[in-house]
Amino acid sequence: MRVITGIAKGHKLKAPKGLNTRPTTDRIKETIFNIINVYPDDIVLDLFSGSGSVGIEFLSRGAKKCFFIDNDTASYKTIIENIEKTKLKDKSETYKLNYTNALNVLKNKNIKLHYIFLDPPYSKNLINQSIILIDEYNLLAEDGIIIAEHEKELKLDCFKNKYVINTRNFGDTSVSFLKIKED
């Protein structure tokens, strides 16, 4: 894993040891960042961060701030190391919390997020549960986008009344982009 472009371009990133994480591949990251545009005022959430590579890519490309959330101790330590290695600590907030507590913290801070990247463990329905809380807590900025990396079998049709959903497939993995429908 590496930072693809921006101020931290070329930095190699560590992955947490063990089988608890499934790092986002460089190919998937490249596709995500070919679809979206990162602006200097963007505030990002990398939920279920793992190594933090996607949030670090956002910061490297100029995002204002990224919140990194992971409940796993090895992942949390790896995120801290990667942020320090890429010299992006001043634009980062890192929390070792489960996703429900983390989303509640952001709600209490009255944070509006331009991008929310979700990459939870597969087959646990955490994407749907996360999106429900994101909606309930009104965390997404008006023009914000939720980017969900998930198993190909997972369908996000239950959100099609609120979001425009664009999904790209990569073998057994899919990435879905959810943007609030305009009235």
Side-chain angles (χ1 to χ4, degrees), residues 93-116:
E93 278 190 43
T94 309
Y95 295 91
K96 185 184 176 302
L97 294 170
N98 68 40
Y99 76 99
T100 56
N101 290 339
L103 293 173
N104 193 47
V105 166
L106 296 176
K107 175 187 82 164
N108 291 336
K109 288 181 169 225
N110 201 28
I111 301 293
K112 293 291 182 193
L113 300 154
H114 298 96
Y115 291 103
I116 299 173

Side-chain angles (χ1 to χ4, degrees), residues 13 20 22 42 46 48 60-61 64-65 71 78 80 82 93 105 117 127-128 130 135 137 157 166 176:
L13 301 174
N20 290 338
R22 179 189 24 73
D42 286 346
D46 188 351
F48 310 99
S60 182
R61 291 170 182 254
K64 180 179 184 176
K65 183 178 198 91
N71 198 35
T78 301
I80 298 290
N82 285 334
E93 278 190 43
V105 166
F117 180 73
I127 287 184
N128 289 338
S130 298
D135 284 345
Y137 295 166
D157 293 342
N166 178 353
S176 294

